[in-house]
Amino acid sequence: MKVLILPDAQAAIARAAEIVARTVTAKPDAVLGLATGGTMLPLYEALAQRHNDDGLSFAQTTSFNLDEYIGLAPDHPCSYHHYMQEAFFRHVDIDPLRTHLPKGDAADPRAASHDYEALIEAAGGIDLQLLGIGQNGHIGFNEPTASLGSRTRVKTLTESTRRANQRYFSSFDETPRYAITTGVATILSSRKCLLIATGESKAEAVANMVEGPVSAACPASALQFHARATVILDEAAASALKFTDYYENVHPEGRDSVFE
Ligand code: PGA
């Protein structure tokens, strides 16, 4: 696992944007795995800015989002469809027909999950998977105890995740209980993973992911099995790590090592 520690959130996001831009420039028809949440908002803003200022194009890319709430139609203001539209898609030149999110309003969410996994496979798999991490160590909506061999399916959200996401809804009761999420194994099948965490509230989950035992108790720790996983942190999110000196030695100020 490559651990890049940047001085603050702004620098961490700029570093992540650089990696996404490099991927899309090297492979204009890249398949991107996209994530939602507060951490990703400034990243999408930075990518939209590169689109406007430097002509970074997403016209040939295909995208698959990690997850969607069950029971919310795409135009629901709290759906991830709506989030993606507002935060990213409408600001860049991505072809709407090549953007994909699980169908949270499907009559049969299990069948929709199966179809989504098949669609990712038919697209040739994901080149670069963006990831956030929950305070409980989830990736996507793979909550603690999720099978590390899981594929896209319906998951019940933990109370802590619902509490964390309640801020987007009018009340806790309004916050959905279920979601369709790509699985841990779906994420591990991506050719590269890029996880971004900022802020002290993520420090414990980050330490469990990077240095803890691989365990379904922290689904993000499964990334230790991924051969090309990069974790971008600000100093606050890195504050509970033990081997910080080593990470900083290999990647001073979050730069690539001399052998890359
Ligand atoms: P956040 O969510 O960026 O809003 O903290 C991350 C996640 O739950 O994966």
Side-chain angles (χ1 to χ4, degrees):
M1 204 181 275
K2 206 191 244 189
V3 180
L4 311 183
I5 303 172
L6 283 298
D8 54 29
Q10 207 184 343
I13 293 299
R15 188 72 177 85
E18 192 183 309
I19 292 173
V20 176
R22 214 193 284 162
T23 303
V24 172
T25 306
K27 187 176 181 189
D29 61 349
V31 179
L32 301 174
L34 301 179
T36 50
T39 313
M40 294 295 148
L41 286 172
L43 175 63
Y44 292 133
E45 208 177 300
L47 292 173
Q49 192 165 348
R50 277 179 183 246
H51 170 68
N52 287 329
D53 298 351
D54 312 330
L56 178 67
S57 176
F58 295 88
Q60 294 179 56
T61 61
T62 296
S63 73
F64 288 93
N65 266 78
L66 282 169
D67 43 23
E68 178 59 287
Y69 293 115
I70 287 186
L72 301 193
D75 61 355
H76 189 289
C78 297
S79 73
Y80 287 152
H81 279 79
H82 188 264
Y83 169 110
M84 288 309 300
Q85 198 54 38
E86 291 304 308
F88 188 46
F89 296 154
R90 77 183 181 88
H91 303 286
V92 294
D93 58 349
I94 197 163
D95 177 354
L97 294 175
R98 279 208 283 259
T99 64
H100 307 277
L101 288 96
K103 291 185 174 33
D105 60 345
D108 182 347
R110 282 197 196 146
S113 303
H114 188 266
D115 292 348
Y116 196 68
E117 186 77 29
L119 211 56
I120 295 174
E121 214 172 299
I126 288 169
D127 290 304
L128 179 68
Q129 176 66 61
L130 297 181
L131 295 163
I133 183 171
Q135 288 178 35
N136 64 2
H138 74 200
I139 42 174
F141 274 135
N142 295 285
E143 302 284 37
T145 72
S147 163
L148 302 186
S150 53
R151 295 279 169 179
T152 308
R153 71 222 182 285
V154 174
K155 277 299 285 181
T156 304
L157 307 183
T158 60
E159 185 170 332
S160 73
T161 294
R162 291 179 66 215
R163 294 242 174 257
N165 292 355
Q166 181 183 342
R167 64 190 192 276
Y168 301 113
F169 294 86
S170 46
S171 69
F172 180 69
D173 285 343
E174 291 284 305
T175 311
R177 287 171 183 276
Y178 305 100
I180 296 177
T181 181
T182 56
V184 178
T186 317
I187 292 168
L188 293 182
S189 299
S190 309
R191 283 181 275 283
K192 278 191 196 170
C193 286
L194 178 61
L195 185 142
I196 307 156
T198 54
E200 200 175 346
S201 66
K202 300 292 173 69
E204 189 186 337
V206 165
N208 289 336
M209 163 178 68
V210 178
E211 297 174 346
V214 173
S215 163
C218 176
S221 66
L223 291 174
Q224 292 178 34
F225 281 124
H226 198 287
R228 300 180 79 192
T230 298
V231 174
I232 296 192
L233 307 170
D234 65 358
E235 282 178 3
S239 59
L241 291 170
K242 282 195 221 117
F243 306 120
T244 315
D245 288 353
Y246 178 67
Y247 309 134
E248 283 178 341
N249 196 14
V250 180
H251 303 289
E253 290 160 32
R255 291 196 299 274
D256 287 338
S257 89
V258 288
F259 290 109
E260 290 162 286

